[in-house]
């Protein structure tokens, strides 16, 4: 979402220009056999991109909320654990973390799993796990989950801390439990603060999901790479990829802005 100041009388000419270019591009794709063929090939990878984005972001949100609550705990140890996790994970490039999870973390997990389940394997109840049994798709999803959970944790922590302490104290005086205070008082107010950066992270996840192509996961970027290298139609192929990503990201950005405006209107004092 844009960080530029917007005046009430500003007409969104940028959106008009984007729509005109988008419609012209759609017409070009529709009437061109080459572009239509490329799009038909890449659509198969689009579903993988959407699956990776939605699953990884949902898991990152759950893990990020857990890490944020640890950081707000009364326990000094838990707060330090939360801070350690956030600082270490945020300090790693996502691509490096992706490679580490795929080629170091996954094999280590397989070895640990086989050690723990050795008695069951000896009894013939389960088969030993092989590294190849841990799909590259899920290695990529786990890596994105871990990477984004550190950013989301900070967003949640800041949003929760922005809630007026007086309201929390009033809820305590009414006898609400800690869970009730969080669900009824803290979270509804915190969510309004959280939504803009949280939405930005979701849009960033859509774009960063393209990194899974380095592992050979058949997302839209990988499908484009394979098609372009075989057909040598690099301009057409990557133009389609850029067009699809822009449709996703700009569409999400506009939807989130509309949701923000609605929430501000609904919760206006």
């Amino acid at each position: 979402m844009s960080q530029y100041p917007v005046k009430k009388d500003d007409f969104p000419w940028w959106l008009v220009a984007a729509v005109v270019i988008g419609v012209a591009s759609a017409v070009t794709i529709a009437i061109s056999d080459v572009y239509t063929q490329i799009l038909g090939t890449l659509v198969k990878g689009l579903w993988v991109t959407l699956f990776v984005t939605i699953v990884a972001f949902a898991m990152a949100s759950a893990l990020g909320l857990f890490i944020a609550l640890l950081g707000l705990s009364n326990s000094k140890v838990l707060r330090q654990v939360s801070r350690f996790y956030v600082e270490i994970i945020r300090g790693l490039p996502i691509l490096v973390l992706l490679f580490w999870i795929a080629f170091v973390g996954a094999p280590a997990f397989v070895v640990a799993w086989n050690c723990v389940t050795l008695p069951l394997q000896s009894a013939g109840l389960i088969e030993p796990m092989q590294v190849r049994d841990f799909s590259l798709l899920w290695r990529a999803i786990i890596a994105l989950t871990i990477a984004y959970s550190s950013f989301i944790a900070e967003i949640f922590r800041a949003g929760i801390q922005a809630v007026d302490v007086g309201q929390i104290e009033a809820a305590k005086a009414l006898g609400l439990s800690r869970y009730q205070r969080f669900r009824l008082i803290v979270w509804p107010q915190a969510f309004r603060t959280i939504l803009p950066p949280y939405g930005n992270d979701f849009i960033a996840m859509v774009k960063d999901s393209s990194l899974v192509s380095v592992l050979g996961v058949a997302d839209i970027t990988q499908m484009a790479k394979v098609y372009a290298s075989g057909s040598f139609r690099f301009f057409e192929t990557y133009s389609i990829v850029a067009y699809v990503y822009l449709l996703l990201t700009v569409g999400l950005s506009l939807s989130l802005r509309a949701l923000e405006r609605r929430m501000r209107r609904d919760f206006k004092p």
Side-chain angles (χ1 to χ4, degrees):
M1 278 163 277
S2 175
Q3 301 300 317
Y4 296 106
V6 178
K7 297 181 180 179
K8 292 183 179 180
D9 58 347
D10 279 353
F11 187 81
W13 290 109
W14 71 269
L15 181 57
V16 174
V19 169
V20 170
I21 294 172
V23 171
S25 300
V27 171
T28 302
I29 293 170
I31 64 177
S32 170
D33 292 337
V34 173
Y35 280 114
T36 302
Q37 181 183 0
I38 295 172
L39 182 61
T41 301
L42 300 188
V43 163
K44 302 172 185 176
L46 177 61
W47 301 116
V48 176
T49 294
L50 294 176
F51 177 79
V52 168
T53 300
I54 293 170
V55 173
F57 196 75
M59 293 170 58
S61 298
L63 181 57
L65 179 59
F66 175 72
I67 298 299
L69 293 177
L70 289 184
L72 296 171
S73 170
N74 293 326
S75 169
K76 184 177 180 179
V77 173
L78 294 181
R79 292 198 303 272
Q80 291 300 314
V81 168
S82 173
R83 179 50 50 189
F84 175 84
Y85 179 90
V86 169
E87 295 298 336
I88 295 300
I89 299 301
R90 286 200 308 177
L92 292 172
I94 295 178
L95 188 58
V96 173
L97 184 61
L98 192 69
F99 282 133
W100 194 92
I101 293 296
F103 301 118
V104 180
F109 172 81
V110 170
V111 171
W113 173 264
N114 287 334
C115 289
V116 171
T117 60
L118 185 59
L120 296 176
Q121 295 174 25
S122 301
L125 297 176
I126 62 173
E127 294 292 328
M129 179 183 285
Q130 305 294 326
V131 175
R132 63 175 177 270
D133 296 332
F134 203 150
S135 73
L136 289 171
L137 174 65
W138 281 101
R139 297 186 207 187
I141 288 174
I142 290 171
L144 289 175
T145 296
I146 293 173
Y148 269 82
S149 65
S150 61
F151 298 103
I152 292 175
E154 286 296 275
I155 292 172
F156 284 166
R157 181 191 59 79
I160 292 170
Q161 287 184 322
V163 177
D164 186 8
V165 177
Q167 296 193 39
I168 300 175
E169 295 298 327
K172 287 181 182 179
L174 292 173
L176 297 181
S177 66
R178 188 166 189 171
Y179 171 72
Q180 288 175 322
R181 293 196 300 270
F182 181 80
R183 182 172 65 87
L184 300 174
I185 306 299
V186 176
W187 181 250
Q189 298 182 69
F191 186 72
R192 281 179 285 165
T193 304
I194 289 168
L195 182 59
Y198 185 63
N200 283 341
D201 269 10
F202 183 63
I203 294 171
M205 174 77 85
V206 173
K207 294 183 290 185
D208 284 342
S209 67
S210 63
L211 293 175
V212 306
S213 64
V214 301
L215 299 181
V217 176
D219 73 323
I220 188 172
T221 305
Q222 176 65 10
M223 296 291 286
K225 189 188 305 182
V226 172
Y227 185 90
S229 62
S231 65
F232 296 99
R233 292 188 177 277
F234 294 97
F235 175 80
E236 296 89 342
T237 303
Y238 286 110
S239 294
I240 291 287
V241 173
Y243 179 70
V244 171
Y245 274 112
L246 282 171
L247 283 179
L248 291 174
T249 55
V250 174
L252 283 170
S253 179
L254 293 174
S255 299
L256 287 168
R257 289 184 190 180
L259 179 59
E260 284 182 56
R261 287 194 296 269
R262 180 175 178 179
M263 290 184 66
R264 284 197 298 266
R265 184 174 64 251
D266 291 345
F267 290 94
K268 188 175 181 181

